Amino acid sequence: MDKQAQLEKRNALLAAIRKVGGDPADLPFWEGCEAGVFLLHRCAKCERHYWPASRCVEHGDEAMHWVEASGRGRVYTYTVLHHAYTPATRDKVPFAIAVVQLEEGPFYHSTVLECAVDTVAVDLPVEAVMMPHESGLTLPLFRPGRVRPGRVRPGRVRPGA
Amino acid sequence: MRGRCAIVGLGITEQGVGLGLEGRELRARAVDLALADAGLPREAIDGYIRAHVEREDLRYMGLSPNFSVSMMTGGATPVFTVIAAQALIESGQAELVACVYGEAQSASAITGKPDIGSYGYGYPTLYGLLGAAATHAFHARRHMHLYGTTSEHLGAVAVTQRNYAVKRPGTLGFGKSLTLAEHQASPMIADPFRRFDCTRNTDGGIAVLVASAERARSLRKKPVYVLGAGTGHNIANWHSGEVFEHHDNIAPAKARAFAQAGMTLADIDMAQLYDPFTISPLMQLEAFGFIKAGQGGPFYAEGGARPDGAMPTNTGGGQLSAYYTTGFTGIAEAVLQLRGEAGEGQLKKAATSLVSGHGMNAGVQNTWAHACMILGNNP
């Protein structure tokens, strides 16, 4: 892809982020989703991982960069929405929103696929699947998966990220 | 800081759904009622704090203070306005500060628009996360997972608070009893919350007037002294990955408030804890240390929060069963109890009250801010 096309793609994604009230600081994350990789913001000094984009609680902005993460975690807590707050969710309820604790530590709010709402449970191991969304963004959804106990993938610096 | 300032006036407007009054009118009436309560003229107000955004209140109300500021830290705002009022008085900027709330929250429901559909939580809204019920449900589910808390336990909170409201004229729950069976039969909103686990948006205004303790003693109403206050922000628990175990970040707030007051938990006669959902007072009672972590459910089920319980809590029905003034409900109830004006619901032992506020929808969570204070009728 030439530079011009890259720039246009980036601007389209930024516009999509702004349209849904998202944070432009998270642009690399959404670019990653489009490319099929789950990125987290990480401090190279202490290896703490963050999501959404943050400054490190200890090292500020000194060494923050986006790294590829495992995309795996466990359901930490969840809710099942039965009440449709907007017309858009009227035909979707009931649906579960899970807070996934990623292997690297941060929480990620998402939905769980391939899993009836009454089988979502705390500690359920899950892994990310990238799915296109009507907003124009590609969203990580999660499906029941395997978690290697205790393993935290160190994460590598993505070229260009 | 103990007892240097006091609440000297309280104005509570009519509270209800679909009152047909704008927020500004509710605030104006609340201020009028508070001035009448304190026996003070309009010009006595020389400081004005609006929760949440001030536009043209002063002109409309005929007030002429030296300043008017807005404060917004969610449901912690009301307690925070009293803390700020104290600071403004102590720094010589004002002698009588009005802390004012008034919103017509149910108006959007009447027009058919989703009442809290506008609550956005950043990227989680892309997945359909809407409303404060869902974000507080995360805490409730985690509590259930860790401690075995049940929907019936949450129901016990709803029933306990309704029993207080049943006897309190002017509340939405007045004369309307609620049983645990009715709670269990109410529709699920955001699992594990059923309808009776949730507050509903109501219209209403409340104003409190804050003055120095010295001034308070020359006024007509029994002063309700601010004995201590503190704040805590849940962002610290977010950073440590423990935010879902903490409904609020109570530790620093509690430490400061009780140190200022020179008091311990044993000195507290009642608690008015911010209650958008049933899990909220339950987890706060644990976090303050009135009961052990995980014991909130059994505590409520066994009547611990009733008038004759170990810690009478939300004694006017709270926001769940009385009315929702985004945190002013608890302040008003504490003032009424401490003055001995709580009518049939008056507690026998009512010399001190803990009051808390909590909330602030921002980004990926809705449980950020906490502010608490200890009010008492002896400085």
Side-chain angles (χ1 to χ4, degrees):
Chain A
M1 197 164 23
D2 64 29
K3 258 193 170 161
Q4 184 61 30
Q6 261 180 1
L7 191 68
E8 277 171 23
K9 200 174 169 197
R10 174 173 269 236
N11 284 339
L13 196 52
L14 261 180
I17 291 168
R18 290 212 166 93
K19 199 172 171 191
V20 297
D23 188 341
D26 297 326
L27 175 66
F29 176 84
W30 299 114
E31 285 179 325
C33 291
E34 246 181 39
V37 288
F38 196 107
L39 302 185
L40 286 174
H41 212 196
R42 174 179 177 263
C43 174
K45 290 210 154 178
C46 61
E47 303 196 0
R48 283 188 184 94
H49 289 75
Y50 294 86
W51 165 254
S54 302
R55 275 168 166 71
C56 177
V57 290
E58 197 177 344
H59 304 101
D61 207 22
E62 284 174 52
M64 295 305 299
H65 61 158
W66 291 92
V67 295
E68 190 175 332
S70 66
R72 285 191 298 270
R74 286 177 183 276
V75 172
Y76 195 79
T77 186
Y78 67 93
T79 183
V80 179
L81 280 158
H82 291 259
H83 179 73
Y85 286 99
T86 65
T89 58
R90 205 164 286 153
D91 56 350
K92 291 181 186 159
V93 290
F95 61 94
I97 303 279
V99 180
V100 174
Q101 185 166 38
L102 300 162
E103 283 184 348
E104 295 82 1
F107 293 119
Y108 192 90
H109 297 58
S110 186
T111 45
V112 184
L113 299 168
E114 301 169 22
C115 185
V117 288
D118 57 357
T119 58
V120 176
V122 174
D123 283 343
L124 179 76
V126 289
E127 59 189 16
V129 200
M130 299 301 176
M131 302 282 273
H133 183 256
E134 60 195 13
S135 61
L137 299 176
T138 300
L139 301 190
L141 305 186
F142 284 79
R143 67 179 175 206
R146 289 172 299 116
V147 166
R148 281 166 286 180
R151 182 177 155 84
V152 176
R153 190 168 157 155
R156 80 188 152 80
V157 181
R158 236 179 121 239
Chain B
M1 288 300 294
R2 181 184 161 113
R4 297 232 287 262
C5 289
I7 292 171
V8 299
L10 171 68
I12 308 176
T13 70
E14 186 185 351
Q15 308 282 332
V17 174
L19 296 183
L21 298 169
E22 286 184 359
R24 185 180 65 174
E25 182 62 27
L26 290 162
R27 295 192 292 279
R29 292 185 186 188
V31 167
D32 289 348
L33 289 165
L35 284 169
D37 180 62
L40 287 168
R42 189 160 300 274
E43 59 267 28
I45 293 177
D46 58 2
Y48 184 89
I49 304 176
R50 159 83 200 279
H52 300 115
V53 181
E54 200 274 318
R55 288 197 177 90
E56 287 202 46
D57 284 12
L58 303 181
R59 179 190 54 72
Y60 186 73
M61 293 179 191
L63 297 178
S64 319
N66 296 319
F67 62 84
S68 167
V69 293
S70 296
M71 284 191 173
M72 180 52 181
T73 183
T77 310
V79 171
F80 204 83
T81 61
V82 175
I83 296 174
Q86 225 186 174
L88 288 159
I89 291 164
E90 288 275 302
S91 63
Q93 299 304 314
E95 291 177 14
L96 187 74
V97 179
C99 303
V100 186
Y101 170 91
E103 299 291 338
Q105 296 201 59
S106 72
S108 55
I110 291 160
T111 61
K113 284 188 228 153
D115 50 357
I116 54 173
S118 58
Y119 267 44
Y121 295 96
Y123 80 91
T125 54
L126 296 171
Y127 299 92
L129 182 70
L130 282 173
T135 53
H136 287 75
F138 293 145
H139 294 266
R141 176 54 60 190
R142 190 76 192 158
H143 201 270
M144 289 172 149
H145 173 74
L146 291 173
Y147 304 114
T149 304
T150 64
S151 173
E152 286 82 358
H153 286 146
L154 299 180
V157 178
V159 170
T160 299
Q161 294 199 191
R162 180 59 64 88
N163 287 340
Y164 280 115
V166 162
K167 293 195 281 185
R168 185 63 63 87
T171 67
L172 270 74
F174 178 58
K176 294 179 198 153
S177 63
L178 174 73
T179 65
L180 187 57
E182 285 167 333
H183 169 274
Q184 289 293 297
S186 68
M188 200 63 96
I189 302 295
D191 184 27
F193 294 147
R194 299 174 181 281
R195 178 179 291 159
F196 287 123
D197 291 307
C198 306
T199 50
R200 60 249 167 288
N201 288 338
T202 60
D203 303 349
I206 289 192
V208 299
L209 304 177
V210 181
S212 70
E214 191 186 6
R215 176 115 185 261
R217 285 190 273 275
S218 72
L219 296 173
R220 61 190 258 187
K221 283 290 170 105
K222 188 169 159 184
V224 171
Y225 297 99
V226 181
L227 305 180
T231 59
H233 202 288
N234 230 351
I235 192 68
N237 294 315
W238 171 267
H239 288 314
S240 67
E242 296 167 300
V243 74
F244 297 107
E245 285 79 10
H246 291 86
H247 184 278
D248 300 63
N249 190 9
I250 281 171
K254 176 192 169 186
R256 193 175 303 275
F258 281 83
Q260 286 185 353
M263 289 165 66
T264 67
L265 290 180
D267 301 317
I268 299 294
D269 292 340
M270 67 189 114
Q272 315 296 345
L273 305 176
Y274 195 81
D275 57 336
F277 304 97
T278 46
I279 192 68
S280 306
L282 187 158
M283 285 183 73
Q284 288 178 78
L285 283 169
E286 293 178 9
F288 271 105
F290 290 109
I291 43 178
K292 286 191 184 121
Q295 290 306 299
F299 180 80
Y300 267 96
E302 289 155 18
R306 291 181 203 154
D308 55 352
M311 184 45 56
T313 302
N314 294 350
T315 55
Q319 304 193 125
L320 285 163
S321 262
Y323 50 84
Y324 190 73
T325 51
T326 321
F328 268 106
T329 308
I331 298 177
E333 174 62 11
V335 170
L336 294 174
Q337 289 283 355
L338 295 168
R339 285 174 171 181
E341 295 177 354
E344 207 186 320
Q346 181 65 47
L347 297 175
K348 288 190 192 87
K349 200 168 165 235
T352 61
S353 181
L354 178 65
V355 182
S356 80
H358 145 94
M360 189 65 190
N361 159 35
V364 293
Q365 261 297 327
N366 179 303
T367 60
W368 290 129
H370 175 90
C372 68
M373 62 182 171
I374 301 165
L375 299 178
N377 51 24
N378 290 304

